[in-house]
Amino acid sequence: MAVTPVAPKRPPTPSGGPPITTLATPPAWLPLSWLVFAAIGLIGFGTALAIAARSVTGTPGAPTAVATVHLGMLAFLSTAVLGASHQFGPVVAGRRLRSVTAGLLTMLLWVPASWLLPFAFATHRPVLLEAAGVTAFTAVCLAAWNLSGPLLRRGRGTPVLGLRLAICYLVLTAAFGVTYTFDMHHGYFLLLPRRVLAHAHLGLLGWIGLAYVAVAEKLWPMFLLAHRPSTTAGDWAVRLVAGGVPVVVIGLLIPSVPLTSIGAGIVVAGLVGHLVSLAGVIRHRRRRMELLHGFVLTSAVMLIVAVWAAAVAGMFDLSITLRTRAIETEVFALTMWLGLAVIGHLHKIVPFITWSRMRTAGHTKAPNGRPLLFAHLVNAPAARATYALSTLGATTGIVGMAGGHVVLVGVSGAALAAAGAVALSNLVSGPLRIIAIDRRRAVASEGEPTPTKPAPTPAPPVSVS
Amino acid sequence: MGAPITEADIDRVTAALHEVYDPEVGLDIMTMGLIYRLEAGMEKVIIDMTLTTPGCPVSDSLPEEARQAAARALDPGGDDRVNLEVVWDPPWSPEMIDDDALAELGYRRVTD
C-alpha cells in the first residue's frame, strides 16, 4: 500500500533557508536562564515604576526616574532580547554560538550590572555607576563577539541581517551609556536632554526595536502559521529602521532639526512597513486568532501611540511641561510596544525550548497520557491574565504620563510587576508540573513495566486534496 | 542486498507515523497532512514530509523523530531502510488536514 496524498516537487531550499540542524541549538538552560532573569527584570521595573511614579511623572531627569527607565531597558527588555538572541541567532543562522561558556559569562556579567546600574542612579553612587557601566559594556562586547559567530553567516535573510545590525547598535548604545556614566561623575560635557534622547532612541529603536522588527519576520509566520505571498514590507521595515536610526541620533547630537526630521521620517516609514507586515501575517493566517495575536496587536497599538506622541513633541509649539509629557509618553509607549511583544512571544518561545529539553529528558507524555504538546507547558488562563495585566499596565502608564496622573502611573507599575510575576510562575510551573506527574507515575508503577499506552489515533487519510 | 520493502512494512511505518505529533498543533503528522509521499523503494521506504512553515519551531526535531519512528517500525536494521526528505513544494496548508480535525482546531480554509 502506498499513501501518496500530494505529488511533491523538490526545490533545493525553502524561502527560509535549509532545514536547521540540531547542532546549532544552544543548551536549553542558556536562553531559559536569560529569560527567567528578564521576567524578574519586568517585576523589578514594574515595582520601581510604582514606587517612583511621582518622579517619573513630570521630572524624567530625577534620579529615581532615570533608575526606573534603566531598569526597564536593561533588566527587562535587553535581558530578554539578549537571551532570545542566544537561541534565535544560532537556530535561524544554522551555526553555533562561538562559545556557550561565553554566553554564560555574558549573563553573569550582564544581569548584576543591569540591576546595579539603576541602583547606582537612584542612590547617587558615581563609582558604582561607572563600575556597573563598564561591566555592562564588557558583557555587551562579549555578547557581540559570541553572537557574531552565527549572525555573520551570509544568505540567511532579513531576520539575521536585522539582528546583526541590532547587535551593532547595542554595542553603540552601551558605548554611549558607559561614556555618559563617566561624564556624570567627571563632567566632560553637558548631558543635555537631546543627548539623553539620542541615547534613548539609539537603544529603543536601534537595538531592541530593530531586533524585534527583524526577528518578527521569522517568528510571526511561524507562530501565527501564516504563508504570506510577499515579505517585501518586512524587508523594507528592517532596512529603513536600521538606516533611519543613525540619522535621528546624529540629528539629535549635532543638533539639527532637519536631519532629525529626515531620520524620523525614515524610521517611521520602516515602522509602517513593520505594521503592514503584521497586517499581512494576520490576513494570511491559517488558524484562528489566539493569545499571541492579542499581544502583538496591542503592542502595535502602543507603537502607533509612540509615533503619535513623538510627532506631537516634535511638530507642535508646546510648553515645556506638555513637551516633557509627550516625550515621556513616547518613550513609555515604545517601551510597551517592545514589552508586550516580548511578554507575548515568551509564551511561545519558552514552551518550545522547554518542550525540546523535556522530551530529551524523557518527559514525553501529558497528564492525560497523550503526547506532550507545547500547550501542556502553559496555563492558558494564567497567560490570559498576564495579557490583561500587561495591557492594563501599558494603557494606564500611557494615559498617566500623557495627562500627568501619578496614580495611574503607579497603577501601571503595579500591573506590570504583577504581569511579570504571573508570567514567571506560569512558565516555570508548567514544566515542573509535568515532571512531578511523571515522578508520581514512576513511583506508582515501581516494579512494574512503565505504562506505554499509545494515544488514540484517527484513521489514516487515504487522500488529501 | 537488503530485504525488499513489503506492504506490511509500509503499514507498520504508516502506523508509526501516526504516533509522531506536531507539538504545536496537537495532531499526528499523518492527520496533519505533513507526509506527502510514503512508498516502497527498492530496499527503502521513501518518505517525503513537509512542515507547517519553513523554520517552524520543530523544523529540526520533527523530521528526525519521524525518521526514527519509521526506522523502529522496520527494525532490525531500520535505520538503513528509511529515506526521509523534507520538501517544501507544495507548501503545507490546512487544506491538507482532514475536515474533522480542521474544524476542531479552528483552522481557516485557504481561499486565496
Side-chain angles (χ1 to χ4, degrees):
Chain A
M1 186 186 78
V3 181
T4 55
V6 179
K9 302 171 200 169
R10 293 167 188 270
T13 58
S15 58
I20 299 156
T21 62
T22 50
L23 292 174
T25 309
W29 58 260
L30 182 61
L32 290 177
S33 303
W34 276 97
L35 297 177
V36 165
F37 284 120
I40 295 170
L42 173 57
I43 298 170
F45 170 55
T47 306
L49 187 61
I51 292 170
R54 186 164 297 281
S55 63
V56 168
T57 313
T59 51
T64 48
V66 174
T68 300
V69 169
H70 279 82
L71 203 53
M73 292 300 108
L74 304 180
F76 169 40
L77 288 178
S78 292
T79 302
V81 179
L82 274 170
S85 299
H86 279 73
Q87 171 81 10
F88 183 88
V91 169
V92 174
R95 184 186 282 175
R96 294 179 190 190
L97 294 169
R98 290 190 189 277
S99 163
V100 170
T101 307
L104 173 62
L105 184 57
T106 304
M107 187 176 69
L108 293 177
L109 289 170
W110 174 264
V111 172
S114 69
W115 284 82
L116 278 178
L117 202 138
F119 176 74
F121 271 124
T123 56
H124 305 280
R125 296 171 197 265
V127 175
L128 182 61
L129 189 66
E130 289 166 1
V134 170
T135 306
F137 183 64
T138 306
V140 163
C141 292
L142 195 56
W145 169 79
N146 203 8
L147 290 167
S148 69
L151 296 182
L152 284 179
R153 188 167 183 189
R154 298 204 171 273
R156 307 305 291 185
T158 296
V160 171
L161 169 70
L163 194 53
R164 186 188 306 153
L165 293 170
I167 295 292
C168 294
Y169 287 133
L170 168 62
V171 174
L172 277 177
T173 307
F176 261 69
V178 76
T179 304
Y180 285 7
T181 60
F182 279 89
D183 182 66
M184 289 180 80
H185 191 183
H186 302 287
Y188 304 124
F189 52 85
L190 287 176
L191 209 48
L192 300 170
R194 58 183 172 77
R195 290 178 176 150
V196 174
L197 279 180
H199 181 214
H201 284 83
L202 185 60
L204 270 169
L205 292 172
W207 153 228
I208 306 171
L210 178 59
Y212 174 49
V213 168
V215 168
E217 289 304 307
K218 191 71 173 179
L219 295 185
W220 285 348
M222 187 172 85
F223 286 136
L224 303 179
L225 209 60
H227 291 253
R228 293 174 296 175
S230 166
T231 59
T232 306
D235 294 340
W236 274 104
V238 168
R239 284 159 177 77
L240 288 171
V241 171
V245 165
V247 182
V248 170
V249 171
I250 292 168
L252 285 168
L253 288 175
I254 289 177
S256 163
V257 172
L259 199 59
T260 306
S261 302
I262 291 169
I266 297 170
V267 170
V268 169
L271 294 174
V272 168
H274 172 71
L275 295 177
V276 170
S277 177
L278 173 60
V281 169
I282 300 287
R283 178 169 173 248
H284 294 282
R285 74 187 190 278
R286 292 184 173 176
R287 65 190 307 178
R288 64 185 158 200
M289 300 284 269
E290 57 170 344
L291 189 61
L292 184 57
H293 289 95
F295 272 109
V296 297
L297 286 172
T298 310
S299 156
V301 171
M302 300 300 150
L303 174 60
I304 293 168
V305 171
V307 171
W308 172 81
V312 168
M315 296 168 68
F316 294 96
D317 188 19
L318 303 174
S319 67
I320 291 175
T321 302
L322 288 180
R323 189 182 304 281
T324 301
R325 284 183 186 172
I327 293 172
E328 280 182 345
T329 304
E330 181 222 344
V331 171
F332 186 75
L334 282 176
T335 305
M336 289 299 96
W337 164 48
L338 299 163
L340 284 167
V342 163
I343 298 168
H345 284 90
L346 284 185
H347 285 77
K348 286 284 189 180
I349 294 168
V350 170
F352 162 58
I353 300 173
T354 311
W355 179 86
S356 301
R357 178 70 189 92
M358 290 186 69
R359 296 262 305 172
T360 305
H363 301 287
T364 59
K365 296 290 183 189
N368 60 7
R370 290 176 63 83
L372 185 68
L373 308 177
F374 295 163
H376 295 126
L377 301 174
V378 182
N379 179 288
R384 286 194 288 273
T386 300
Y387 170 68
L389 285 166
S390 52
T391 301
L392 175 69
T395 308
T396 51
I398 285 172
V399 174
M401 286 186 196
H405 303 298
V406 175
V407 173
L408 284 181
V409 175
V411 170
S412 166
L416 291 174
V422 174
L424 179 63
S425 60
N426 188 12
L427 294 172
V428 169
S429 65
L432 292 179
R433 178 171 153 265
I434 300 293
I435 291 169
I437 289 170
D438 275 359
R439 283 185 180 154
R440 282 201 296 273
R441 277 186 186 144
V443 169
S445 62
E446 203 169 67
E448 298 173 12
T450 307
T452 54
K453 185 184 172 187
T457 56
V462 175
S463 66
V464 182
S465 56
Chain B
M1 290 287 286
I5 300 297
T6 64
E7 284 196 8
D9 290 331
I10 295 293
D11 289 344
R12 282 200 299 275
V13 170
T14 302
L17 294 180
H18 270 296
E19 296 299 319
V20 178
Y21 279 73
D22 181 311
E24 167 73 17
V25 177
L27 292 177
D28 69 81
I29 60 176
M30 292 293 292
T31 304
M32 283 279 289
L34 296 178
I35 300 299
Y36 282 178
R37 180 163 69 146
L38 170 54
E39 62 188 34
M42 287 296 289
E43 296 174 5
K44 294 190 176 194
V45 171
I46 298 169
I47 303 170
D48 285 343
M49 76 174 286
T50 193
L51 298 164
T52 51
T53 57
C56 89
V58 289
S59 59
D60 51 350
S61 61
L62 200 60
E64 177 58 20
E65 191 175 342
R67 195 197 65 75
Q68 288 180 6
R72 279 195 302 273
L74 296 172
D75 274 341
D79 273 337
D80 298 327
R81 302 176 73 200
V82 177
N83 184 353
L84 185 147
E85 287 193 36
V86 178
V87 299
W88 300 96
D89 193 7
W92 179 87
S93 88
E95 297 288 322
M96 298 168 182
I97 303 180
D98 69 49
D99 284 345
D100 291 344
L102 193 74
E104 185 183 331
L105 291 171
Y107 276 85
R108 302 171 72 217
R109 282 279 177 207
V110 180
T111 55
D112 47 359

